[in-house]
């Protein structure tokens, strides 16, 4: 039971946390099926399977601060590395986290208690023609505010316009019940998933939002579910179509260099990485987004 809420908000937190776990289970099942499929490619390699381990938030106060699970697939036929983390953590924000949030969250300096739950996914495929992909959806609560955030973006090493078009069309359709929302979130993603020191985007974009609190929790939860539920139809057909496509060492080099860009963004700019490390969450879980191999020119 959540120690920092009761009544309606406790029930809403429980629903959000349960849904993130359900989404993880659906994605795991779909990816393991992909690994077994005839289009998986990588002959001689056994289909990949996810291994799950528990994660814990390390709170300086020494009390139970929550945790979650990290599902990790390595060395599969389609997926070289894919991590799916689900966590529900709580406690008090440290000084660094308070400072980072102070401008966005009124009252956080006066009462630093927090609760957060979410799912975070990054897939680094084996075949350079299969696009890497990221997904994150989350709910955050403090005594003065609650909000949802997250998004998804495509990160191909070798870009195909038709793949980009499919990914974005699927997201647009998913957000159609909210007029104007796709355009707003796409613009936000273009701005967020950008590497300033390289002067370029890390991929071909997607959608992103943060601090979502319209005052209607049910409506905002429906929106965040729509983003999560769009992930498989947006990405899985691309992986199915390209997993057995021939590739050579030049393609592999392009993939590894692109992964270097991805690592730079996550380590230098990504808000979730910074918060996870600053709040004491399991470092391996926070950094599971990093590629298994990368290269810099």
């Amino acid at each position: 039971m959540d120690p920092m809420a009761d009544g309606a908000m406790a029930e809403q937190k429980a629903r959000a946390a349960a849904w993130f776990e359900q989404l993880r289970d659906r994605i795991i099942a779909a990816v393991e099926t992909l690994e077994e499929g005839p289009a998986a490619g990588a002959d001689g390699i056994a289909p990949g399977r996810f291994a799950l381990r528990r994660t814990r938030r390390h709170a300086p106060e020494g009390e139970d601060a929550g945790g979650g699970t990290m599902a990790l697939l390595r060395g599969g036929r389609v997926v070289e590395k894919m991590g799916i983390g689900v966590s529900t953590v709580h406690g008090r924000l440290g000084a660094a986290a308070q400072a980072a949030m102070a401008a966005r969250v009124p009252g956080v300096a006066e009462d630093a208690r927090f609760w957060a739950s979410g799912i975070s996914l990054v897939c680094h495929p084996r075949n350079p023609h299969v696009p890497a992909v990221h997904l994150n959806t989350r709910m955050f609560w403090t005594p003065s505010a609650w909000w949802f955030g997250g998004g998804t973006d495509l990160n191909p090493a070798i870009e195909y316009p038709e793949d980009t078009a499919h990914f974005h069309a699927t997201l647009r359709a998913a957000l159609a019940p909210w007029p104007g929302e796709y355009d707003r979130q796409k613009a936000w993603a273009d701005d967020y998933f950008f590497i300033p020191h390289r002067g370029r985007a890390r991929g071909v974009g997607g959608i992103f939002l943060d601090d979502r609190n319209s005052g209607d929790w049910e409506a905002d939860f429906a929106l965040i579910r729509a983003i999560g539920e769009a992930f498989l139809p947006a990405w899985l057909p691309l992986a199915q179509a390209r997993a057995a496509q021939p590739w050579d060492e030049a393609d592999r080099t392009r993939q590894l260099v692109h992964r270097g860009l991805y690592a730079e963004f996550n380590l230098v700019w990504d808000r979730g990485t910074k918060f996870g490390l600053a709040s004491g969450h399991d470092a391996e879980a926070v950094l599971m987004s990093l590629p298994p191999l990368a290269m810099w020119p």
Side-chain angles (χ1 to χ4, degrees):
M1 178 64 67
D2 173 16
M4 292 187 290
D6 53 24
M9 181 52 67
E11 187 267 342
Q12 290 166 343
K13 289 180 180 180
R15 286 174 57 196
W19 184 80
F20 296 133
E21 293 185 351
Q22 293 163 12
L23 181 61
R24 173 202 59 201
D25 293 345
R26 287 164 51 193
I27 294 172
I28 286 176
V31 172
E32 289 188 344
T33 298
L34 173 67
E35 284 282 322
E36 296 173 347
D43 292 339
I45 298 177
R49 290 289 181 271
F50 283 92
L52 273 69
R53 76 168 180 86
R54 296 291 302 174
T55 62
R56 305 299 301 174
R57 174 177 175 261
H58 304 290
E61 57 268 27
E63 61 190 28
D64 175 29
T69 60
M70 181 172 67
L72 191 62
L73 189 159
R74 286 183 178 272
R77 299 171 70 202
V78 179
V79 173
E80 191 168 5
K81 179 185 176 185
M82 183 172 187
I84 310 175
V86 172
S87 64
T88 299
V89 297
H90 52 82
R92 293 183 178 276
L93 295 167
Q98 288 184 49
M101 297 176 66
R104 297 165 41 232
V105 187
V108 71
E110 288 73 32
D111 190 336
R113 291 177 297 158
F114 82 97
W115 176 98
S117 184
I119 179 172
S120 180
L121 172 160
V122 174
C123 178
H124 297 289
R126 177 181 298 278
N127 189 319
H129 297 286
V130 178
V133 69
H134 151 264
L135 167 73
N136 173 273
T137 58
R138 59 190 177 275
M139 177 186 167
F140 205 97
W141 172 93
T142 72
S144 58
W146 58 262
W147 65 92
F148 289 98
T152 181
D153 70 309
L154 198 67
N155 298 272
I158 301 172
E159 297 180 19
Y160 291 94
E162 61 270 32
D163 291 3
T164 301
H166 168 84
F167 189 78
H168 281 276
T170 305
L171 299 180
R172 181 186 291 276
L175 296 180
W178 295 270
E181 195 63 31
Y182 167 79
D183 291 332
R184 188 178 78 89
Q185 291 190 28
K186 180 185 182 300
W188 202 338
D190 290 342
D191 180 66
Y192 182 75
F193 297 118
F194 186 81
I195 309 173
H197 63 273
R198 295 291 187 183
R200 58 157 293 174
R202 77 175 190 183
V204 296
I207 54 176
F208 181 80
L209 80 163
D210 209 353
D211 303 329
R212 176 74 178 206
N213 182 337
S214 69
D216 185 336
W217 188 91
E218 290 291 348
D220 293 347
F221 185 37
L223 173 62
I224 214 71
R225 292 200 311 272
I227 293 172
E229 288 164 0
F231 171 75
L232 284 173
W235 175 77
L236 191 60
L238 309 180
Q240 291 169 330
R242 301 205 181 274
Q245 188 169 332
W247 55 276
D248 57 22
E249 286 305 310
D251 297 329
R252 178 63 165 173
T253 297
R254 289 178 65 181
Q255 180 189 52
L256 295 181
V257 170
H258 189 79
R259 286 179 179 178
L261 293 174
Y262 196 92
E264 289 178 17
F265 177 87
N266 278 33
L267 291 173
V268 177
W269 302 103
D270 186 68
R271 186 186 297 174
T273 301
K274 291 179 179 180
F275 176 81
L277 295 175
S279 64
H281 195 49
D282 187 301
E284 293 299 323
V286 175
L287 297 175
M288 73 177 183
S289 63
L290 296 179
L293 295 169
M295 180 184 293
W296 281 262

